[in-house]
Amino acid sequence: MELKQWISQMSIGSLLTLKLFFATIFISLILGLATTFLYTSKNKYISKITGFYILIMRGTPLLLQIFFVFFGLPYLPFIGKYLVFDRFTAGAVAFILNYTAYYAEIFRGGLLSIDNGQYEAAKVLGMTALQTKFKIILPQMFRVSLPAISNEAIILVKDTALITTIGLTDLLQVTKTIVNRTTNISAFVVAALFYLVMSYILTIFFKFLEKRFAY
Amino acid sequence: MNMIEVKNLKKSFGDLEVLKDISFDVKKGEVIAALGPSGSGKSTLLRSLIELEKIDGGSIIIEGNFLCKDGKYPPEKKIAAIRSKMGMVFQHFNLFPHMSVKDNLICAPLMQKTAPKNELIKKCQALLDKVGLIDKIDAAPSSLSGGQKQRVAIARALMLNPDILLFDEPTSALDPELTKEVLNVIKQLAEDKMTMIIVTHEIGFAYEAADKILFMTDGYILDYDTPEKVLKNNSNERINQFLNNVI
Ligand SMILES: Nc1ncnc2c1ncn2[C@@H]1O[C@H](COP(=O)(O)OP(=O)(O)OP(=O)(O)O)[C@@H](O)[C@H]1O
Ligand SMILES: [Mg+2]
């Protein structure tokens, strides 16, 4: 196998890894925020149901969730036939469901860290509940949550490799094949560097955000 | 004219009756210092006046409007309108840490569109000048001393042109030196004839600056009179005991 050939294959593999990473992080950050609001809602039922969702997502292996979405959902009675996804979609859905739960918990922690005095100050200054949430609470919540968001993003970089289990050829899968064929481990080193560089870039990016929004 | 009228106010937290039967009036331009032992209900009373706590019975009338009538509150819109007549300054300042001093001052009036932004900025500069902090206009709250934070908090409250200002132990988190600079700002407001209720442990300040002392114990008002009468010529044992302990 030629060098050029395996570089091109590895690029295709990394592209899939990147696609999964970005789809998951963007969507689950947004859904995570929404989930936090549902979880902290005054409505007991909404809060209980959301809590149950978070418990399931954090309490079972991500791998099981990936299998369940790809292999399991189509067997559900009645609705199963609408839940047949291609491999990438199934993988992405499982990742998003899982990371949404984690991000929801991170944001909830951020909310809890905000002193009640902030709400009271906003209230006596005549701000509405909505103005308080968007101008006072959310910016502080994001700032407090940044280190944990960053941590979770770096875990996600490496978790993406789980997607090979439903037959997708991401970077790791390609690398394995190449090593098998060439009986040379340098492809492993290249893959390791890829994950490492990505984690490093994320670390720097989030450090920048932390500085930018420091107070 | 009465700025504040409180009639038979009652407030409990669960089984704990914190305010038992509170009645008093505050006239326009009066400065009231609220004193009393810890746990006597001073903060709860102050917070009830601006609806940070909901009371269980009695009435609160602010400039002739019922904030609460016999324990019943009007719709939120009406409450908000009454609340907007008052400002409050907290013991722990409660500045918004993610905003500059300037944004702390202008954010609320900007939301309420009380005036165009450039006018608000001018007003913000004038108020910061008044409290001696014009050079801190772009500073972050975290870079200020406690006394500076509290003066910013006072300026922030003044941005909304309140008729009444409520202070809950505005200097209790401060060193003596910083306490002075905050008390001086409050004295200045008293000279401007701002109506104020100040919960404080600074007896000297209360004597000097207040028109009346409101003395609380166990959810009751024990005395409500001039500083001269309450602090100098009092025959009430509990008040004298309190004063001996503090001084
Ligand atoms: N949110 C609350 N829930 C339950 N109890 C409360 C609450 N707020 C105050 N209390 C109780 O009400 C009583 C009066 O409290 P309050 O804070 O009004 O006293 P205070 O006179 O301001 O005291 P201090 O001088 O210590 O500030 C206390 O016994 C306090 O424990
Ligand atoms: Mg208090």
Side-chain angles (χ1 to χ4, degrees), chain B residues 220-245:
Chain B
Y220 291 105
I221 295 180
L222 209 55
D223 206 351
Y224 184 44
D225 214 325
T226 61
E228 200 59 43
K229 287 202 181 124
V230 179
L231 301 175
K232 295 277 149 150
N233 309 303
N234 207 298
S235 54
N236 187 300
E237 205 176 310
R238 294 193 66 176
I239 295 181
N240 285 323
Q241 192 188 353
F242 172 82
L243 292 175
N244 286 335
N245 285 342

Side-chain angles (χ1 to χ4, degrees), chain B residues 13 16 18 37-44 169 201:
Chain B
F13 290 112
L16 183 69
V18 175
S38 186
S40 57
K42 306 178 298 290
S43 295
T44 307
E169 303 200 25
H201 291 292

Side-chain angles (χ1 to χ4, degrees), chain B residues 53-90:
Chain B
E53 306 287 355
K54 282 247 188 342
I55 63 173
D56 304 315
S59 302
I60 299 173
I61 306 159
I62 307 294
E63 297 182 55
N65 298 302
F66 280 96
L67 173 66
C68 183
K69 189 174 188 177
D70 297 324
K72 288 189 189 64
Y73 284 87
E76 172 57 31
K77 237 184 146 155
K78 182 99 192 289
I79 296 179
I82 296 172
R83 219 196 288 118
S84 72
K85 309 267 188 209
M86 296 176 274
M88 179 151 181
V89 174
F90 300 89

Side-chain angles (χ1 to χ4, degrees), chain B residues 189-204:
Chain B
L189 292 172
E191 281 163 25
D192 299 346
K193 291 290 159 209
M194 171 69 80
T195 309
M196 296 188 279
I197 302 182
I198 305 153
V199 175
T200 181
H201 291 292
E202 301 285 331
I203 309 288

